[in-house]
Amino acid sequence: QVQLVESGGGLVQAGGSLRLSCAASGSILSINNMAWYRQAPGKQRELVAVITGSGRIDSRDSVKGRFTISRDNAKNTVDLQMNSLKPEDTAVYYCNAVITRVGSLGSFTYWGQGTQVTVSS
C-alpha cells in the first residue's frame, strides 16, 4: 500500500506565501515524477508543477517566478513553495507521484487527498 499525505494548505491574503508538503509512504521501490496539481471550483484539474527523479522541473506559465517545486528523494517528499499568491491561485491542491512498489512489475500514479488553498483579495 502506498499513500501520499499532503499538508500546509490554508487561508492567506493576496501577496502572501504558503508552503505545501507531500510525503509518500509504503512499500516504495522508486519514485519517478512528482507533481502538484490544482482544481478550482467548476474547473478542470490542472498541472501546477512537476519535478522528475533527476530534478528536471517544469511549471505552468501562470506560476513561474512565484511557485517553486522541490523534492527530497531520501525522504520521498515533494514540496511546493508558493509566493506572491493571487486570488486566482485559490484551489484544492493535490500531490501526485508515479511510484514503483516493491515487488511490482510496473509503476502507477498515486494521488494525495488534496489540501485547500484560499487566497483572499
Side-chain angles (χ1 to χ4, degrees):
Q1 187 77 5
V2 171
Q3 271 192 316
L4 299 182
V5 178
E6 300 128 336
S7 61
L11 172 64
V12 65
Q13 287 189 331
S17 298
L18 282 174
R19 188 176 183 88
L20 305 182
S21 294
C22 173
S25 62
S27 300
I28 296 171
L29 179 62
S30 63
I31 303 179
N32 193 348
N33 289 4
M34 301 186 84
W36 287 95
Y37 285 73
R38 67 186 181 187
Q39 187 167 19
K43 294 189 177 181
Q44 288 190 327
R45 190 173 296 189
E46 62 185 20
L47 176 66
V48 176
V50 58
I51 182 168
T52 69
S54 59
R56 178 181 291 184
I57 289 171
D58 196 12
S59 59
R60 65 185 310 104
D61 288 345
S62 61
V63 307
K64 279 184 165 69
R66 300 189 298 123
F67 291 10
T68 302
I69 189 170
S70 60
R71 66 188 284 172
D72 185 328
N73 290 332
K75 297 180 179 179
N76 291 337
T77 60
V78 60
D79 291 348
L80 185 68
Q81 177 66 42
M82 305 184 293
N83 299 327
S84 302
L85 282 160
K86 304 176 181 180
E88 51 263 43
D89 294 318
T90 295
V92 178
Y93 283 70
Y94 296 91
C95 176
N96 168 286
V98 179
I99 295 173
T100 302
R101 291 165 48 192
V102 173
S104 174
L105 296 178
S107 58
F108 298 90
T109 298
Y110 293 86
W111 292 90
Q113 79 283 1
T115 184
Q116 177 70 46
V117 171
T118 303
V119 184
S120 62
S121 56

